[in-house]
Amino acid sequence: MNLKSLLIIILLSISSIFAQTASTYFPSQTGYKWNFKSVPLDSLNNPVDSLEFYGIDSFAVVTPHFGKTANVVLSKTGTLSTINSIPFLDTTYYNFDGTNGFEYFDPTIISGLLGNVDTTLGINFLTFFNSLEGWYPYYRFASGNNVDYQIFKKDTAITVNSISATIRFELIGKKLADETLNTEIGTFNCKKFLLEVRISYLLLNIIPVKMFGVENTVWFAPDNWKVKSYLPTTNVDLSYLGFPAFKIPGLETNITAPITSVEENNPEIVNDFVLYQNYPNPFNPSTTIKYSIPDVISTEGRNLNVLLIVYDVLGTEIATLVNEEKPAGNYEVEFNPASSIKNPASGIYFYRLQTGNYIKTKKMILLK
């Protein structure tokens, strides 16, 4: 083999290694938004279109989070007509270290569900899942195809109907073969992963016997991160343990073009005063505030004066965003604290809309 051939092989090998770097699959700049359409699946994994809903994720900020540099993604879900006006309520934290994509497992996201399970079955799942909180390498881009890798494992002793057993909870990952995926925003050569939540009981406290598993397949596109996920319906039969059969509903989620709500398709149809929740929320460095003004004339025969003011948590006025007469319609205005105050602090701020006899105040959160 001559030197030229050897150099080509080395360069191709290096290129292959860098292509597996996890961060190349995540957007490089904050402010990136993902728009999703989700469709629940019935027991045969057929889509139930009448129950479809939408979601928006927003890459909000990069900030330290429990020992790692976190890419913070805010999320919200809703109907087509409401998704753009509702606030972001959920938060996901990602970290990228070489070929591994880490995700922070936060049990508070499912605390409500776990509390119900605790009450119903008498099992302290809430305490159990709290012990799992932390960073885990969910996505291992350098892993070989179709090779299982364990993300985390936890055993716990439970007692149900006076019967004691040891239950094992595992999260298993697997990188599948690359797949070309056609989406509404383009065609991508995607990395594909399968994540399985596996529940087993330990026979003689040693041998794991699988009870059931819930599998979720996800597709990642370069510079776009997650563009599709598929969670089939899981039918669970634990009758041999004295539990009734049940199913875990499936869900298919696909990235879409930017979502335009019904209200935005009819911008001049306004029936009432409305002050919407800002979005994104929490935000950094700026956020958008939307409001609606109906067709109302003041006693002087003019359009009503609209006043939109931002206050800090102590009630000090920070910025006047609007102070003028407005005709009927839907409006939005951007608020960037840095344009009004020097070195704005993280925390809660309030914005108030006042026009005529209508006064409405909402809170928002600056996250730095």
Side-chain angles (χ1 to χ4, degrees), residues 97-260:
D97 185 1
T99 59
N100 290 331
F102 286 78
E103 187 170 332
Y104 190 83
F105 178 72
D106 184 357
T108 61
I109 296 175
I110 53 176
S111 59
L113 172 62
L114 295 178
N116 291 335
V117 172
D118 285 355
T119 302
T120 303
L121 299 180
I123 303 172
N124 197 353
F125 277 128
L126 186 57
T127 300
F128 172 67
F129 279 103
N130 280 338
S131 69
L132 291 171
E133 182 174 1
W135 287 102
Y136 297 96
Y138 279 40
Y139 309 108
R140 302 181 185 181
F141 285 79
S143 174
N145 289 346
N146 300 309
V147 178
D148 286 355
Y149 55 85
Q150 189 173 76
I151 300 171
F152 56 69
K153 177 182 72 175
K154 183 75 173 182
D155 297 343
T156 185
I158 66 170
T159 301
V160 180
N161 298 327
S162 300
I163 299 176
S164 297
T166 301
I167 298 297
R168 173 166 293 175
F169 179 91
E170 294 177 277
L171 182 59
I172 307 294
K174 181 190 298 183
K175 187 168 80 70
L176 306 177
D178 293 358
E179 183 175 329
T180 299
L181 193 66
N182 295 316
T183 76
E184 285 193 11
I185 66 170
T187 299
F188 304 100
N189 184 29
C190 295
K191 297 296 178 184
K192 186 178 178 182
F193 288 85
L194 177 68
L195 300 180
E196 180 192 2
V197 177
R198 185 181 299 173
I199 309 295
S200 307
Y201 74 90
L202 297 186
L203 183 63
L204 303 176
N205 288 329
I206 299 175
I207 305 171
V209 178
K210 182 176 176 179
M211 299 165 63
F212 66 92
V214 180
E215 297 183 342
N216 186 34
T217 305
V218 290
W219 288 256
F220 297 104
D223 300 318
N224 284 271
W225 199 232
K226 190 180 298 184
V227 292
K228 180 178 180 177
S229 66
Y230 183 80
L231 176 73
T233 296
T234 303
N235 297 296
V236 182
D237 183 4
L238 299 178
S239 56
Y240 60 94
L241 295 176
F243 293 104
F246 64 95
K247 68 177 181 179
I248 301 172
L251 185 69
E252 180 175 353
T253 299
N254 288 280
I255 199 164
T256 69
I259 298 169
T260 302

Side-chain angles (χ1 to χ4, degrees), residues 87 276-283 285-289 308-313 318-319 321 333-337 345-352 361-367:
Y276 297 97
Q277 186 66 50
N278 64 300
Y279 65 93
N281 187 44
F283 67 94
S286 64
T287 188
T288 298
I289 299 172
L308 181 60
I309 300 177
V310 178
Y311 301 88
D312 65 15
V313 71
I318 299 300
L321 303 181
V333 60
E334 183 181 26
F335 170 58
N336 188 331
S346 297
I348 297 175
Y349 292 80
F350 298 91
Y351 57 102
R352 185 181 70 183
T361 302
K362 289 182 177 290
K363 70 178 181 180
M364 54 187 170
I365 300 174
L366 173 62
L367 177 64

